[in-house]
């Protein structure tokens, strides 16, 4: 679930989704904007879209490893 295995592809594992989220978070965004951007990016790259709950789990993971922060309704990378 967190890491890819022989049954879970990298693009579906939380660490893979988290990497995609970080790549799309080049500037501050709301949760809904980031989710829409992620779905568009995955569609453009011919990857299956993900459910919102899986997206939120990836945000939880990134928050727990201190890669992102949430302030006043806005998501930011920690180094921004």
């Amino acid at each position: 679930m967190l890491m890819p295995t022989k049954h879970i592809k990298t693009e579906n594992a939380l660490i893979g989704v988290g990497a995609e989220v970080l790549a799309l978070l080049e500037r501050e965004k709301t949760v809904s904007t980031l989710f829409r951007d992620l779905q568009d990016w995955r569609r453009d790259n011919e990857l299956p879209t993900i459910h919102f709950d899986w997206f939120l789990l990836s945000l939880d993971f990134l928050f727990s490893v201190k890669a992102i922060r949430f302030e006043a309704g806005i998501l930011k990378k920690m180094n921004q």
Side-chain angles (χ1 to χ4, degrees):
M1 181 168 121
L2 178 62
M3 301 292 288
T5 66
K6 67 179 184 178
H7 301 292
I8 300 174
K9 295 181 179 181
T10 303
E11 64 265 13
N12 296 331
L14 284 179
I15 200 150
V17 175
E20 293 168 3
V21 166
L22 282 177
L24 292 170
L25 202 53
E26 70 279 351
R27 61 180 177 78
E28 302 171 352
K29 295 182 181 180
T30 63
V31 173
S32 59
T33 300
L34 183 58
F35 181 66
R36 187 175 50 249
D37 291 351
L38 178 64
Q39 296 296 57
D40 292 343
W41 183 89
R42 289 180 73 90
R43 211 175 349 271
D44 292 345
N45 289 283
E46 299 179 0
L47 295 171
T49 57
I50 60 169
H51 293 283
F52 190 69
D53 59 343
W54 199 249
F55 168 73
L56 289 179
L57 284 173
S58 73
L59 293 182
D60 289 342
F61 167 70
L62 292 172
F63 185 79
S64 70
V65 297
K66 300 190 183 338
I68 62 171
R69 65 182 188 260
F70 186 73
E71 294 176 358
I74 303 292
L75 286 169
K76 304 174 186 180
K77 280 186 184 178
M78 285 300 282
N79 60 357
Q80 290 181 337

